[in-house]
Amino acid sequence: SSGINAEYGYWERLTSLGLSSIQRRLERYKFIALWKIYTKIITPNPLKIDFKESSRHGPTAQRRIGRAKTTRTNSLIFHSFGSTATSLFNAIPCGIKYRFTLDSLKPALDSFLKSIPDLPPIANYRAPHGNTIVEWLERGAGSKPSLPAGSN
């Protein structure tokens, strides 16, 4: 027996095993890949993404917004790596983006990601929310740790 109750739902099993959803792991990968382009670990910049520095937001990636003649092509552009990774990169706090070694980035990123709920969509179940990091941050998750119930 693996010690995992078969009556647990998907979300509870992920939590009990200390795992992130596939969606969250993919977002983590996208952020790290774009961070490697930002820090010039990956050169040349294969996506030709421009990075800007700001005293308020730190480094930000500039999305290339293209318009195509068909809705399908626009949808492909919107959901492409270059588009989703740049919005994700911009949502992560600059204190994490300013890490300049992979060994210091990963623990800081993982610690931050643990503060954001990970409730992935499940087949045949309509979730009341999206589960992307960007969506959670827009709702205010991850900004500060929540207190346990009953503590004030």
Side-chain angles (χ1 to χ4, degrees):
S1 172
S2 65
I4 298 185
N5 189 336
E7 301 208 6
Y8 281 177
Y10 177 64
W11 298 335
E12 292 84 11
R13 282 183 280 173
L14 282 176
T15 302
S16 69
L17 291 170
L19 298 175
S20 298
S21 67
I22 293 171
Q23 179 185 17
R24 185 59 45 88
R25 285 181 271 169
L26 180 59
E27 288 180 312
R28 180 181 183 271
Y29 162 78
K30 286 179 180 182
F31 173 79
I32 292 172
L34 201 57
W35 175 87
K36 286 180 176 181
I37 294 171
Y38 166 68
T39 57
K40 297 183 176 43
I41 292 172
I42 295 177
T43 57
N45 180 342
L47 301 174
K48 299 187 178 16
I49 293 173
D50 296 323
F51 293 94
K52 305 285 184 208
E53 294 285 335
S54 133
S55 59
R56 182 174 179 190
H57 299 289
T60 57
Q62 305 300 304
R63 287 188 349 172
R64 292 181 183 246
I65 310 243
R67 294 283 176 223
K69 292 181 181 179
T70 66
T71 304
R72 181 178 187 283
T73 304
N74 282 325
S75 181
L76 290 172
I77 292 168
F78 181 78
H79 294 290
S80 70
F81 176 86
S83 179
T84 58
T86 54
S87 64
L88 180 61
F89 184 86
N90 295 339
I92 300 292
C94 63
I96 295 172
K97 292 184 271 190
Y98 278 131
R99 306 292 172 127
F100 286 103
T101 67
L102 202 52
D103 289 338
S104 68
L105 173 77
K106 287 181 177 180
L109 179 61
D110 291 342
S111 176
F112 173 72
L113 293 179
K114 285 182 195 283
S115 73
I116 299 172
D118 187 14
L119 305 172
I122 300 172
N124 301 321
Y125 175 75
R126 185 178 171 119
H129 53 73
N131 190 50
T132 68
I133 293 168
V134 173
E135 290 169 318
W136 278 111
L137 292 175
E138 286 172 352
R139 290 193 297 270
S143 55
K144 55 187 168 192
S146 58
L147 296 173
S151 61
N152 291 339

